[in-house]
Amino acid sequence: MVGRKTKHKFGTFWSFLAFVAVVALWTIPALGPGVIAVLSAFVVLYCLFQAPTWCCASTRKNEFCRNNANGILLGCHIRQHKWQKLKMAFREQRAAEALRKMLSNISGVAASLSAVAGTISASAATVTLLVK
């Protein structure tokens, strides 16, 4: 039986396991590029909207929020933080700040690496599927 703390740690580092799974999928020749593209897209969506990370939105004291959030693009339970994170991702000047804040903790790094690997994998699988 898995304890509560072990289950929580597994949930936090699921993004690393997703990263390893995307890399491992390419070593199995029986899987077609379509399956790899779909699974990679699911990894990217998980990292963007469900992976456990810190909020990292700016507070009134110009520090970043350390509340738990879901995904790279979504903020914590505070409604203003959700909109602030989405705006940070799509504004030119704020994107670098958002990336710096996201890479300040291990769960943000895991989610970011998994999202990048999933995007590259999905793109490569789609190109491979279209070329054949």
Side-chain angles (χ1 to χ4, degrees):
M1 188 166 246
V2 179
R4 187 171 147 199
K5 287 184 180 182
T6 305
K7 191 183 287 187
H8 177 67
K9 280 193 177 220
F10 178 74
T12 302
F13 294 111
W14 192 90
S15 297
F16 276 133
L17 295 175
F19 175 71
V20 171
V22 166
V23 172
L25 287 175
W26 283 97
T27 62
I28 303 171
L31 288 176
V35 173
I36 294 173
V38 169
L39 292 176
S40 298
F42 280 130
V43 167
V44 171
L45 289 174
Y46 172 79
C47 292
L48 292 178
F49 298 108
Q50 286 295 320
T53 60
W54 282 351
C55 177
C56 294
S58 296
T59 63
R60 293 181 181 172
K61 296 178 183 177
N62 278 340
E63 298 173 348
F64 62 91
C65 177
R66 292 184 185 245
N67 289 334
N68 294 329
N70 290 329
I72 296 170
L73 293 180
L74 298 179
C76 62
H77 65 280
I78 302 170
R79 183 175 31 152
Q80 184 63 32
H81 287 189
K82 290 180 184 182
W83 288 110
Q84 185 179 3
K85 287 269 303 242
L86 282 172
K87 286 183 212 174
M88 284 175 75
F90 295 107
R91 286 194 181 158
E92 223 175 281
Q93 299 87 5
R94 304 284 299 212
E97 180 185 349
L99 182 64
R100 183 174 38 87
K101 287 180 178 180
M102 184 55 60
L103 297 178
S104 67
N105 61 5
I106 190 73
S107 62
V109 171
S112 299
L113 279 178
S114 297
V116 168
T119 303
I120 292 170
S121 175
S123 301
T126 304
V127 168
T128 304
L129 188 63
L130 293 176
V131 171
K132 282 189 175 184

